[in-house]
Amino acid sequence: MPEARVVIDLDVPGATISRHLYGHFAEHLGRCIYGGFYVGEDSDIPNAGGIRLDVVEALRALQIPNLRWPGGCFADEYHWKDGIGPKADRPSMVNTHWGNVEENNHFGTHEFMALCELLGAAPYVNGNVGSGTVREMSEWVEYLTREGDSPMVRQRKANGRDEPWKVPFWGIGNEAWGCGGNLRAEAYADLARRYATFLKDHGDNKLYRIAAGAADDDLAWTEALLKAVSCLGCGRDPKNIFQAISFHYYTVAGSWEHKGSATDFGLDDYYRTIQKAQGIERVIKAHSALMDAYDPERKIGLVLDEWGTWWDVEPGTNPGFLYQQNAMRDALVASLHFDVFHRHSERLVMANIAQTVNVLQAMLLTDENGALVRTPTYHVFEMNKGHHDAAVLPVHVVEGRTHDLDGTAMELVSASASVKDGRALVSLSNLDPESSLDVVLDLRGADPVEPIGRLLTASTPQTHNTAAAPDAVAPAPLMVEPESRGLRVTLPPHSFATVSLEL
Ligand code: AHR
């Protein structure tokens, strides 16, 4: 059996892996909000104020740190005042980006904040730059976060909420180069400065303002935003206007027209997907290097507020609803993203998978009969929970394995590790779809005890969970054996594992 050696320095803790790298995203898109999170008070499915309780319970187990809402593209056509007050009085609108369906605004500001409270997640509200106004966005912040007495506070109180909420994260539009207004970079950079000026901190609520960033490695976009708040070598404090710049990176293995099936794929598709997912490291490095030039003290955060796999929709479903299955392959896309995130946690401060329920690379799939399915990706989030706010540890995969794809050697072993509260957590992925792998964990700097191994795998990379077979892909114990320099585990083909150790 092939063998890999993974060297881990247990006594060299590095940057903190922000728990916000495990953030989420819920858009008014398909069945993410309506039918996913929110079924309405009259539903037979158990709910609190219309919010589905089994969804809340499943997500609480992930300790999801933040939730981005209401979009995505939808954010730039959303008018928040249509989503407050008695539901019967709320005006409808057409959701032009996602299926051209009617949006009745029954899930609005109060419902979102109630959802965040139920989940224990910090709200990340994304404001409307594309079709909104500065006043509208500024009043939304006032409505949500101001105490005492003011025009917006009086409206909030009239709608049943006396106390202000805490809103730590605020997005200034979304994909402004595309669905958010088709703006040029410099035009958006000026708008971001203007909007940020009127996004006030009320009382002790401190907003972390996130400018809408690039697609993939569009560095010119990021540079325009950096130039808007700083200049090369001038020493100006860049973080006074907005505090972070986002970007989006999706794993689309085929073309946008033919993205491929989530579950019906061959070996070549598998390798291309993994290679595309691994590309996230190149893109993070490129943005980070540019940011280091303008912001050497790393005051501006990099936020990947949309990432994940994007497949053709499931046959027979609305093409505008982006409903896709989620297989063991998707779990590996997630696990290798997290290894990359951990390595770059000095600059990358937040990431949000797209999207939490029923859309793209979801954690949960639901149906109107009350079924709730945890996807393989869900289990990666759960198994990696120990990395939240832990200190990253140096990890070197030596004697790993590679696969030649079109003349490029792809790494087939991915790993990362962290330490928190006297325990280390090691994450390991065997990306080889055909061969098992013996992994020696070469542990330096401490003699850990009580290893606990967990394994996520399935008979094929196509295996996925359904209402009829909800645990086809589910975590199981993994045998961890002592070895002269550390520990040894055997990873089946296409598998993800964690080993937790007491130091
Ligand atoms: O996540 C789906 C869509 O993908 C979002 O609305 C948009 O920001 C991106 O293009």
Side-chain angles (χ1 to χ4, degrees):
M1 187 186 308
E3 190 174 287
R5 198 156 61 89
V6 177
V7 180
I8 304 172
D9 294 309
L10 294 167
D11 57 345
V12 189
T16 300
I17 297 170
S18 171
R19 65 184 183 284
H20 292 295
L21 294 175
Y22 285 80
H24 283 262
F25 174 30
E27 182 165 10
H28 289 237
L29 192 180
R31 295 189 301 108
C32 182
I33 297 292
Y34 300 106
F37 278 110
Y38 185 79
V39 287
E41 286 101 331
D42 299 335
S43 171
D44 292 338
I45 298 173
N47 68 82
I51 296 167
R52 210 174 143 154
L53 285 172
D54 55 353
V55 166
V56 168
E57 187 195 346
L59 294 175
R60 278 188 74 88
L62 301 185
Q63 295 169 0
I64 82 170
N66 69 72
L67 185 61
R68 178 174 183 249
W69 172 84
C73 294
F74 181 76
D76 280 296
E77 63 179 8
Y78 180 63
H79 298 283
W80 70 271
K81 287 185 182 171
D82 293 346
I84 55 173
K87 292 198 171 85
D89 299 342
R90 297 186 191 177
S92 295
M93 63 176 286
V94 176
N95 187 335
T96 65
H97 292 293
W98 307 118
N100 261 308
V101 292
E102 193 163 327
E103 157 71 54
N104 63 15
N105 277 308
H106 283 191
F107 187 93
T109 298
H110 289 251
E111 290 75 21
F112 172 66
M113 297 308 289
L115 172 62
C116 288
E117 283 175 350
L118 287 169
L119 293 172
Y124 171 6
V125 175
N126 203 10
N128 178 348
V129 171
S131 67
T133 62
V134 174
R135 176 178 178 177
E136 184 180 357
M137 202 189 294
S138 142
E139 288 184 341
W140 201 3
V141 177
E142 179 187 330
Y143 185 92
L144 282 160
T145 64
R146 195 173 171 89
E147 316 188 61
D149 191 37
S150 80
M152 290 302 116
V153 173
R154 284 193 287 281
Q155 273 201 46
R156 186 187 72 222
K157 288 183 176 171
N159 290 328
R161 171 82 186 195
D162 284 347
E163 293 305 309
W165 290 283
K166 286 276 181 274
V167 180
F169 303 114
W170 199 278
I172 309 171
N174 172 74
E175 295 192 350
W177 40 265
C179 64
N182 281 312
L183 297 170
R184 289 170 301 130
E186 287 71 21
Y188 171 72
D190 279 344
L191 273 185
R193 288 176 62 100
R194 178 161 165 243
Y195 273 78
T197 307
F198 298 96
L199 296 173
K200 303 290 184 189
D201 289 339
H202 294 282
D204 61 358
N205 189 74
K206 296 276 174 278
L207 287 180
Y208 189 77
R209 300 165 190 81
I210 302 168
D216 303 337
D217 48 9
D218 179 359
L219 296 179
W221 186 275
T222 303
E223 188 158 23
L225 288 174
L226 287 165
K227 281 184 177 160
V229 289
S230 187
C231 43
L232 277 172
C234 68
R236 189 190 303 156
D237 192 335
K239 72 165 194 330
N240 290 334
I241 299 176
F242 44 79
Q243 289 72 47
I245 296 174
S246 73
F247 76 107
H248 293 171
Y249 184 85
Y250 281 101
T251 297
V252 180
S255 63
W256 278 102
E257 294 70 36
H258 302 285
K259 296 183 266 308
S261 161
T263 52
D264 185 8
F265 56 88
L267 263 189
D268 189 60
D269 301 317
Y270 172 90
Y271 281 119
R272 284 184 198 286
T273 303
I274 297 298
Q275 188 184 53
K276 181 71 202 282
Q278 288 172 331
I280 185 61
E281 185 142 34
R282 172 182 49 77
V283 175
I284 292 176
K285 277 184 179 164
H287 285 292
S288 299
L290 184 63
M291 292 175 81
D292 283 351
Y294 282 88
D295 171 30
E297 291 175 48
R298 297 188 175 159
K299 291 181 173 174
I300 299 262
L302 181 62
V303 169
L304 172 58
D305 52 15
E306 291 185 26
W307 68 275
T309 53
W310 194 323
W311 307 118
D312 292 337
V313 298
E314 286 302 301
T317 65
N318 186 328
F321 281 13
L322 309 188
Y323 176 74
Q324 64 189 40
Q325 249 297 352
N326 189 301
M328 186 61 219
R329 175 177 63 169
D330 296 80
L332 295 173
V333 167
S335 68
L336 76 85
H337 270 78
F338 285 129
D339 293 334
V340 175
F341 295 172
H342 299 163
R343 282 198 279 282
H344 295 278
S345 48
E346 274 191 25
R347 179 65 83 176
L348 189 71
V349 295
M350 190 192 290
N352 302 72
I353 192 162
Q355 298 189 7
T356 313
V357 188
N358 291 335
V359 169
L360 299 177
Q361 191 174 353
M363 305 300 107
L364 302 173
L365 304 177
T366 68
D367 71 22
E368 59 290 346
N369 301 321
L372 175 121
V373 172
R374 289 165 176 75
T375 64
T377 301
Y378 173 97
H379 294 301
V380 174
F381 275 71
E382 191 278 318
M383 291 166 71
N384 260 3
K385 255 184 333 192
H387 291 301
H388 293 196
D389 292 333
V392 69
L393 293 170
V395 172
H396 303 281
V397 178
V398 289
E399 298 159 26
R401 283 177 57 71
T402 57
H403 172 78
D404 183 277
L405 187 64
D406 304 333
T408 305
M410 286 173 59
E411 295 294 337
L412 293 180
V413 183
S414 182
S416 63
S418 70
V419 62
K420 184 173 71 177
D421 301 334
R423 278 199 89 81
L425 182 66
V426 181
S427 295
L428 298 163
S429 300
N430 177 13
L431 304 171
D432 191 326
E434 297 178 288
S435 300
S436 294
L437 183 71
D438 248 10
V439 180
V440 173
L441 296 179
D442 186 338
L443 303 172
R444 313 267 172 100
D447 287 316
V449 293
E450 283 184 25
I452 301 168
R454 298 177 75 198
L455 178 69
L456 188 73
T457 192
S459 51
T460 68
Q462 291 83 1
T463 308
H464 51 278
N465 295 335
T466 61
D471 295 320
V473 187
L478 170 73
M479 171 111 67
V480 184
E481 288 170 303
E483 168 78 25
S484 56
R485 291 199 71 150
L487 300 166
R488 175 183 291 268
V489 292
T490 300
L491 300 182
H494 50 265
S495 63
F496 170 65
T498 55
V499 180
S500 158
L501 307 159
E502 185 170 327
L503 299 185

